[in-house]
Amino acid sequence: MTTAKDIMHPGADWIPSHETLDRAAQLMRDLDVGALPIADTQERLTGILTDRDIVVGCVAEGHDPAKVTAAEMAHGTPRWIDAGADVDAVLHEMQEHQIRRLPVIENKRLVGMISEADLAQHLSEPQIAAWAERVYASG
């Protein structure tokens, strides 16, 4: 059985919830990623911040990314998957919630992220096509 841990990108970095969006953007640039998990002071997952969140939810709204925190952009319940979950569970979670990036948690700690690129490397073409159809479906 292939698990989330088998297909994830290991060693994902996260951003503290009190950090500002300009710092988050710099970290995304330095890490060459488009999203960062957001963690509270107890290192619990509180959300995911994307580059799109920064642009659309902050800059385009006329806010200063040096004054808006990651916590202010964390909306809803963060989705995640246990490292031991099988690939079907990973696909279901991403499809059900129409998300493109999924944090992987092991022993209550962030151990990696699963992105579209990870899926493309580890899944068959029919699996990827079915995933994309559900995740990118409108409505």
Side-chain angles (χ1 to χ4, degrees):
M1 171 181 84
T2 303
T3 66
K5 192 169 186 173
D6 295 329
I7 66 171
M8 73 179 189
H9 180 83
D13 289 287
W14 54 270
I15 189 152
S17 58
H18 66 271
E19 196 63 74
T20 58
L21 298 187
D22 61 337
R23 178 64 190 121
Q26 293 164 358
L27 189 56
M28 286 180 191
R29 177 201 59 209
D30 295 347
L31 297 171
D32 193 27
V33 297
L36 290 169
I38 304 168
D40 66 13
T41 55
Q42 285 79 42
E43 296 186 7
R44 291 179 303 210
L45 182 68
T46 60
I48 295 190
L49 179 67
T50 67
D51 47 8
R52 180 174 166 72
D53 293 332
I54 295 170
V55 173
V56 175
C58 179
V59 177
E61 293 293 324
H63 302 293
D64 182 353
K67 294 181 180 172
V68 177
T69 66
E72 293 174 77
M73 298 303 292
H75 304 291
T77 303
R79 307 310 308 177
W80 57 273
I81 195 88
D82 185 80
D86 68 22
V87 171
D88 289 337
V90 170
L91 295 174
H92 176 77
E93 185 70 16
M94 294 175 87
Q95 290 168 340
E96 184 73 18
H97 300 284
Q98 293 186 308
I99 54 177
R100 296 167 195 60
R101 299 169 183 101
L102 187 62
V104 180
I105 305 293
E106 185 175 53
N107 298 321
K108 299 183 181 181
R109 292 277 188 240
L110 176 69
V111 294
M113 288 282 282
I114 296 174
S115 68
E116 293 169 286
D118 298 313
L119 296 178
Q121 289 178 341
H122 294 94
L123 302 180
S124 68
E125 282 190 35
Q127 285 175 305
I128 293 168
W131 175 84
E133 184 177 326
R134 293 279 313 273
V135 169
Y136 290 103
S138 61

